[in-house]
Amino acid sequence: MSWIERLYQTYESNKTAIGDPGEEMPLLPICHTTQKAHVTIVIDGNGNFLRASVVPKTEARTIIPATEDSAGRTSGTTPHPLCDKLQYVAGDYARFGGEKEPCHEDYLALLKRWKDMDGGQAKLSAVFAYVSKGAVAADLVKGGVLHADATSSRLINEWPDKKSAPEIFRLLAGGYDAKGKSKPWQADAFVRWSVETPGDPQPEVWLDRGLWESWERYYGSLKSLQGLCFVTGAVADLAKQHPAKIRNDGDKAKLISSNDISGFTFRGRFADAEEACGVGFRVTQEAHSALRWLIARQGRRDGDQAVVAWAVSGVEIPDPMADSFSLLFGGPAEEVNGGGYTAQEVSLALSAKIGGYSARLAHTDDVVVMALDSATPGRMAIRYYRELTGSEFLARIENWHRGCCWRQHFGKDRIFFGAPAPRDIAETAYGTWRDGKVHIDDKIMKATVERLLPCIVDGAALPRDLVDSCVRRASSRNGIEPWGWEKTLGIACALFRYQYKERNYAMALERDRNTRDYLYGRLLALAEHMESRALYVGGEQRATNAEKLMQRFADRPYSTWLTLETGLTPYRVRLRAKRPGFLHRLETEIDEVVSVFDGDDFTSDKRLTGEFLLGYHCQREALRPVSAKEGEQEAGEVGETDTDNEE
């Protein structure tokens, strides 16, 4: 139960954020949930209808009081105590064509009990007085919010012309599905209240802290089930049900559930659910509310999977799922030196960023990383859970971004030195390119992200198959968009460098590294550079042989090199006539690389490892002109007036 204890502590540490209107998903008060409201009804302090309006989508999220049963209802008829659908709040729901079972009496009874217990809440009395008249639907039709047929007085299910449809039909379009079942329509509208009384600056009931506390007192007074809370170790009021809506407003999956008492669930070990798992009512309410708030605020969601990291103290911490660019700079790219961020700039920024977090996060502060997923709509599981101290967590994050650092090319505005995000790694390893986009199965994506979390948070080794898959993808350019291949190459190099940290690969060309695979990678880059320059000089635009044969080169480097070298002959002739200086330097470098192979390494056709990608990438970057001035200098060496700037 460590996870729920940490969430409970997080809620207790961040009570100032309860109901914060500045947050998309605020930290909720106890016994409250959220709903997307469609209609706001404004009444006066005596319960008289004033006006009504359709709620814009951007303002629809509404904090409402709820019972344990109503918060977890699916197709049941348990009412919320204050704001609810027309089915519950409108006494004339059936008269206007409502198709579901009317639950107005249950709603009125619940609201009356609450109102009678707390007579000081004038808004409750006003809402009760108004809904008791049984004319909510009629008032909404008169107010022009809902629309009824002039003949039958029944609410219209679907507006005939969508272009001219009233505002409510844009939220609840109506119609029927393939099975003839009615889709959400205006009779399913969710209603919230605003009570205008002189001198009250807060007419909206969903923002009234006095009502939040009133409902908490009332509902807490109804609890009668006492027992041992497994989280606090104290005897307390136990929860009968545990909250849902953890990942979003429509989420029905629960982390704790025990609704089966038919004799199979407990398998003879326990007599009832409380023996199996007793959790205090306040504890589970606060813990689930904290988890919901954290996921919306700083978590990462991918379908049903949610990953969130937080400090129990509430201090901001780095996101373990972010790539280095997002972690350090965020937002749109700001070009540095005309091309992105350099390795030195990223290193300094990372040091400053981690230093900033260290100043706010104490060494012994608890940090939690949790991954959630659900296999069915009703059940959720914790797929990954780690508790670390603040210093451990920051050290692991820094180690990942420094160890897995390589030049990344995520687009012309996102060129940086750093580590890729887990999602990018999964797409690179197991994605398929189609119609210019990469596609990946959701299950594979989620499974790969879960496998990468221990590498980032625990410092575990990368899965070998994952690295090999990225290397294979980077070795084959076929079927990948050029920008996509550049991204793949950067990620493959980063993973290989992280997997073999003990080899201390530099991110610049290492001329003294004499390993076979690294040297073969350099040769491939040199051959590609020579051919591409010759094609440019000849006015041709096509892929080089080095690009086409890259996969074969990785499988059989020596025999493929002989093919590439033979194929360079006509390009050498062209360059010798127009770029003799350039050709001489390149041939000299090729000879130098070939001369440092050990023994029979050069003539071996053994398959290359991912190291050849590092040699290739570094050699290619070393050959790339860093400025137009360099290109002019290169052209000047051969006595030409034109400026080569084709790179």
Side-chain angles (χ1 to χ4, degrees), residues 420-433 438-441 444-445 447-449 451-452 462-476 480 484 487-493 495:
R423 183 182 179 85
D424 293 318
I425 296 174
E427 288 181 345
T428 297
Y430 304 116
T432 55
W433 282 82
V438 62
H439 300 265
I440 183 172
D441 183 82
I444 295 177
M445 167 66 80
T448 306
V449 169
R451 294 177 71 195
L452 284 169
L462 286 167
R464 184 171 177 176
D465 65 296
L466 188 66
V467 180
D468 290 345
S469 180
C470 289
V471 169
R472 282 196 298 274
R473 294 295 294 158
S475 303
S476 176
I480 306 179
K487 180 179 178 179
T488 301
L489 178 62
I491 291 175
C493 290
L495 296 187

Side-chain angles (χ1 to χ4, degrees), residues 293-315:
W293 174 63
L294 289 166
I295 290 175
R297 184 169 178 248
Q298 61 201 60
R300 294 265 179 165
R301 286 192 52 213
D302 190 355
D304 290 335
Q305 184 185 62
V307 180
V308 61
W310 77 92
V312 174
S313 61
V315 174

Side-chain angles (χ1 to χ4, degrees), residues 211-226:
L211 281 177
W212 297 348
E213 293 167 2
S214 172
W215 173 251
E216 183 181 336
R217 285 195 302 274
Y218 169 71
Y219 196 66
S221 69
L222 302 179
K223 304 302 295 182
S224 59
L225 178 62
Q226 291 249 321

